[in-house]
């Protein structure tokens, strides 16, 4: 390969490092309306009265919107960036009279500058009927206090949701008789593991700029991973046709899953739609931390059964997930806690059940790993405890039980394990870490000790039977190419790797591929940048697209050479007749395509997959502990990832480290 598997510089590298205007706030005009949000100080309350009269008199204030400006009996929506019909319930109004967490929206204020908007926010007078909140997710299910008692709550997908039980999702699946298997095991590890919510804390906070174009349509420029889903979300929230909404994204200052939820887009969109004036909303760091979409808090009850020789025979996992006040990504993240942890091991039987519950806390959302880290933490902890009980080397214990290439994985939706180097990953981290010499413990001269721990993991590549990746390739003057994509580069480098793939197929220089994306008006449809899907799904669309474009180049080249298409070859620079040895350059072919031509030198491909091949990982942590103080710190971490052939080794390394 010429371009793929090389660490070419990112397409946007120089613009970013030289501080060029590439982000939302760089591109928004200085004179647009400033939008800010008044938030609830209570976890559960009804707005009894809200007085905005004094605030509206502040010079420079354009508009203030409250629940009275939003029909409370209207159809609700979800802010989850998921393919329609979304698994996440429709449980939001743009402004709801019933506020459900400390930080929920009470009013939208728009004015000419921050000073007047901040003053107006202080002058809005709100009377609340404070209600008792549900704060403990252990007591939420079937609690008499309902987070969503409203009748216009709606679940579009069969995920076991029931707002009258505070349930965002519920399910149970399995294979074999897990109770009988566990009863027959020599040892059963039976523990509960808890992971707390945590924030993505990307460098660029949530931000959106909106305007009305010359056709009266709502144009949204936002730091988002999901331009097409965002279009649907905004249209649903505002109750306007989707044809009246255009969403595009500039460079994104990090996302890590946070921007797979339309956290802020609907609010400036509402202001601009109502006033017909440009507006922007930029979340403060405080808002980004307290009113966005952190990782789901989860509690996992694991029962793991094994024999004295170390054979793991059964795993029973129950996950309780806290979705918070709204259900974005609640029904889907929880699935990965089991379907990306249990399949790591070959077992006779498994059972995986879960409940996702509402509470009056900040709503959770997508976060890197999307539920898998929580479940893997629990199952891997149980396996390490099993090793300790058996006094076995935890790497050897895993080598005895791990899934291998060719296995069918019942807990991974019955998918075949078509490619797996997990055994080699374990062997590599054993060698890299010096496991044989250091495990289980090293006594240091200063009274501290160093210990070693190991864990394995798996992820996926897209959502099978769901995700769609799109690519359009066209040839331009002088033979350079434009690649249009709907996937969002959020710093991960997808613009770069997709250009590399196109350049590889078209046998041209990497710099000869210009990348444009993402824009709902111009880009081919793409589900968005999430679920580790872009290189796998959109990348395959790019590859097929480039192959088909090659065929069209050969077709037009053959016409110019006055020969059959079956006797020409294309080497990236020219089309050559293998019989006469005559050739026509790509420059001339591109020029000919613009005059008296009926062969369009462009191609669009949509791609999906019925499989989500999992990359596998193994990691060893070396931890130093002060036995006097209890202070512990990770001093070394060794990891090996089964990722196949990286398109860009440097970017793959950065992703692995992330």
């Amino acid at each position: 390969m010429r371009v793929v598997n090389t660490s070419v510089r990112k397409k946007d590298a120089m613009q970013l490092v030289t501080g060029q205007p590439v982000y939302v706030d760089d591109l928004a005009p200085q004179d647009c309306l400033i939008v800010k949000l008044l938030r609830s100080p209570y976890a559960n309350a009804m707005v009894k009265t809200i007085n905005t009269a004094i605030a509206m008199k502040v010079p420079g204030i354009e508009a203030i919107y409250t629940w009275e400006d939003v029909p409370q009996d209207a159809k609700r929506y979800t802010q989850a960036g998921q393919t329609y019909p979304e698994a996440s319930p429709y449980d939001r109004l743009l402004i709801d009279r019933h506020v459900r967490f400390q930080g929920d929206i009470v009013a939208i204020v728009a004015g000419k500058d921050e000073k007047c908007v901040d003053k107006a926010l202080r002058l809005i007078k709100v009377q609340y009927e404070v209600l008792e909140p549900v704060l403990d997710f252990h007591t939420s299910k079937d609690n008499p206090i309902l987070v969503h008692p409203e009748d216009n709550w709606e679940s579009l997908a069969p995920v076991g949701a029931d707002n009258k039980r505070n349930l965002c999702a519920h399910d149970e699946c399995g294979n074999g008789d897990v109770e009988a298997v566990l009863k027959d095991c020599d040892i059963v590890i039976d523990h509960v593991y808890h992971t707390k919510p945590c924030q993505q804390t990307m460098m660029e906070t949530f931000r959106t700029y909106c305007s009305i174009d010359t056709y009266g349509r709502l144009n949204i420029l936002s730091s988002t991973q999901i331009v097409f889903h965002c279009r649907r979300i905004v249209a649903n929230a505002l109750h306007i046709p989707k044809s009246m909404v255009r969403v595009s994204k500039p460079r994104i200052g990090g996302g890590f899953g946070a921007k797979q939820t339309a956290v802020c887009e609907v609010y400036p969109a509402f202001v601009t739609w109502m006033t017909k004036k440009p507006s922007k909303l930029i979340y403060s760091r405080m808002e980004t931390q307290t009113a966005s979409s952190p990782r789901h808090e989860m509690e996992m009850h694991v029962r793991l059964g094994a024999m004295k020789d170390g054979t793991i025979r059964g795993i029973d996992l129950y996950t309780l997930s806290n979705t918070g006040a709204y259900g974005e990504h609640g029904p889907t993240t929880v699935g990965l806690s089991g379907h990306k942890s249990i399949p790591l091991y070959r077992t006779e039987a498994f059972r995986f059940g879960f409940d996702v519950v509402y509470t009056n806390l900040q709503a959770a959302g997508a976060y890197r790993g999307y539920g898998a880290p929580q479940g893997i933490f629990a199952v891997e902890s149980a396996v390490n405890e099993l090793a300790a009980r058996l006094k076995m080397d935890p790497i050897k214990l895993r080598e005895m039980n791990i899934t291998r290439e060719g296995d069918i994985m019942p807990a991974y939706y019955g998918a075949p394990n078509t490619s797996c180097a997990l055994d080699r990953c374990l062997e590599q981290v054993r060698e890299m870490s010096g496991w044989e010499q250091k495990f289980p413990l090293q006594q240091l001269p200063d009274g501290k000790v160093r210990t070693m721990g190991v864990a394995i993991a798996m992820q996926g590549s897209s959502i099978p039977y769901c995700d769609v990746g799109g690519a359009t390739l066209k040839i331009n003057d002088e033979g350079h190419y434009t690649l249009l994509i709907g996937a969002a580069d959020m710093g991960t480098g997808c613009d770069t790797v997709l250009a590399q793939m196109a350049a590889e197929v078209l046998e041209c220089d990497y710099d000869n591929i210009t990348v444009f994306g993402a824009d709902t008006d111009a880009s081919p449809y793409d589900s968005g940048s999430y679920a580790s899907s872009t290189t796998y799904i959109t990348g395959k669309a790019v590859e097929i697209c480039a192959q088909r474009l090659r065929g069209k180049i050969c077709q037009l080249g053959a016409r110019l050479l006055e020969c059959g298409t079956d006797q020409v070859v294309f080497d990236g620079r020219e089309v050559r007749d293998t019989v006469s040895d005559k050739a026509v350059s790509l420059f001339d072919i591109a020029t000919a395509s613009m005059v008296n031509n009926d062969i369009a030198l462009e191609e669009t491909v949509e791609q999906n997959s019925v499989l989500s091949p999992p990359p596998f990982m193994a990691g060893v942590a070396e931890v130093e502990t002060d036995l006097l103080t209890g202070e512990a710190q990770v001093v070394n971490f060794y990891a090996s990832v089964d990722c196949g052939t990286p398109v860009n080794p440097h970017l793959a390394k950065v992703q692995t480290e992330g």
Side-chain angles (χ1 to χ4, degrees), residues 447-470:
K448 297 179 180 179
V449 295
R450 284 196 179 183
T451 52
M452 306 279 276
V454 62
I456 58 176
M458 64 184 284
Q459 244 304 325
S461 306
S462 79
I463 305 171
Y465 296 100
C466 179
D467 282 348
V468 172

Side-chain angles (χ1 to χ4, degrees), residues 78 80 82 85-90 154-157 159 168 327-332:
T78 177
Q82 297 174 312
E86 303 93 330
S88 300
Y90 279 29
E154 185 180 7
S155 178
L156 277 65
V159 294
C168 178
E328 280 91 22
H329 302 280
T332 41

Side-chain angles (χ1 to χ4, degrees), residues 336-496:
L336 274 66
S337 71
H339 294 302
K340 296 288 173 68
S341 60
I342 300 171
L344 287 164
Y345 298 97
R346 292 182 288 184
T347 60
E348 296 173 36
F350 84 90
R351 179 169 58 200
F352 172 44
F354 60 77
D355 287 311
V356 183
V357 295
Y358 284 112
T359 60
N360 291 114
L361 295 167
Q362 178 183 189
Y367 190 128
R368 204 163 188 173
Y370 206 75
Q374 294 97 307
I376 289 170
F377 160 71
V379 171
E380 286 302 280
S381 295
V383 172
N384 281 333
E385 291 174 40
L386 174 64
R389 286 271 296 275
L390 294 173
K391 294 183 172 55
M392 281 187 69
D393 181 320
I395 289 184
K396 291 180 180 177
L397 176 63
R398 285 172 170 82
E399 288 173 339
M400 287 176 57
N401 291 284
I402 57 172
T403 182
R404 295 180 182 270
E405 189 169 314
D407 287 349
I408 299 296
M409 299 179 286
Y412 192 54
Y413 317 104
N417 194 346
T418 56
S419 174
C420 179
L422 181 54
D423 54 341
R424 283 167 278 168
C425 290
L426 277 168
E427 182 58 35
Q428 187 170 52
V429 293
R430 180 205 296 276
E431 294 175 6
M432 291 165 59
S433 64
W435 179 273
E436 302 293 350
Q437 295 75 40
K438 298 176 182 177
F439 180 80
L441 180 144
Q442 294 173 282
Q443 188 75 51
L444 302 182
D446 57 2
K448 297 179 180 179
V449 295
R450 284 196 179 183
T451 52
M452 306 279 276
V454 62
I456 58 176
M458 64 184 284
Q459 244 304 325
S461 306
S462 79
I463 305 171
Y465 296 100
C466 179
D467 282 348
V468 172
T472 295
L473 260 171
K474 63 177 183 175
I475 196 167
N476 305 296
D477 300 30
E478 300 183 358
H480 73 280
Y481 301 95
T482 298
L483 171 62
L484 295 89
I485 58 173
D489 192 329
M490 50 181 161
T492 52
C494 79
D495 287 3
T496 302

Side-chain angles (χ1 to χ4, degrees), residues 569-645:
V569 293
F570 176 53
D571 64 2
R573 295 176 300 277
E574 61 183 16
V575 172
R576 178 172 296 278
D577 181 351
T578 57
V579 176
S580 68
D581 206 34
K582 292 179 181 179
V584 58
S585 70
L586 185 62
F587 181 104
D588 290 338
I589 293 171
T591 301
S593 71
M594 296 181 284
V595 180
N596 193 30
N597 174 54
D598 59 0
I599 301 173
L601 293 189
E602 61 179 62
E603 188 65 57
T604 297
V605 170
E606 296 284 342
Q607 179 69 16
N608 70 341
S609 178
V610 299
L611 290 175
S612 177
F616 292 92
M617 295 142 273
V620 166
E622 192 171 353
V623 180
E624 187 171 286
T625 305
D626 188 322
L627 297 180
L628 286 177
T629 66
E631 180 185 7
Q633 60 178 342
V634 177
V635 293
N636 282 306
F637 185 75
Y638 309 89
S640 178
V641 180
D642 170 22
C643 67
T645 300

Side-chain angles (χ1 to χ4, degrees), residues 149-228:
E150 65 273 9
D151 291 330
N152 57 347
W153 177 97
E154 185 180 7
S155 178
L156 277 65
V159 294
D162 185 347
N163 63 316
K164 304 302 183 181
R165 300 182 64 199
N166 282 339
L167 268 179
C168 178
H170 163 81
D171 196 18
E172 183 179 299
C173 64
N175 182 63
D177 189 340
V178 73
E179 291 294 344
V181 168
L182 293 178
K183 187 176 181 180
D184 194 45
C185 286
D186 295 330
I187 297 173
V188 175
I189 303 296
D190 188 341
H191 280 176
V192 175
Y193 306 88
H194 182 223
T195 60
K196 295 182 178 181
C198 51
Q199 280 286 9
Q200 296 90 341
T201 321
M202 59 282 172
M203 287 189 289
E204 183 195 31
T205 62
F206 300 96
R207 51 196 59 196
T208 299
Y209 161 67
C210 298
S211 61
I212 300 293
D213 67 16
T214 53
Y215 300 98
R217 299 169 71 227
L218 179 63
N219 277 210
I220 299 172
L221 181 72
S222 187
S223 184
T224 179
Q225 302 171 218
I226 45 159
V227 293
F228 287 97

Side-chain angles (χ1 to χ4, degrees), residues 237-256:
L238 273 59
H239 303 289
I240 61 176
K242 295 171 183 64
S243 61
M244 296 302 291
V245 181
R246 174 190 181 186
V247 180
S248 58
K249 65 99 197 160
R251 306 321 294 167
I252 301 176
F256 312 114

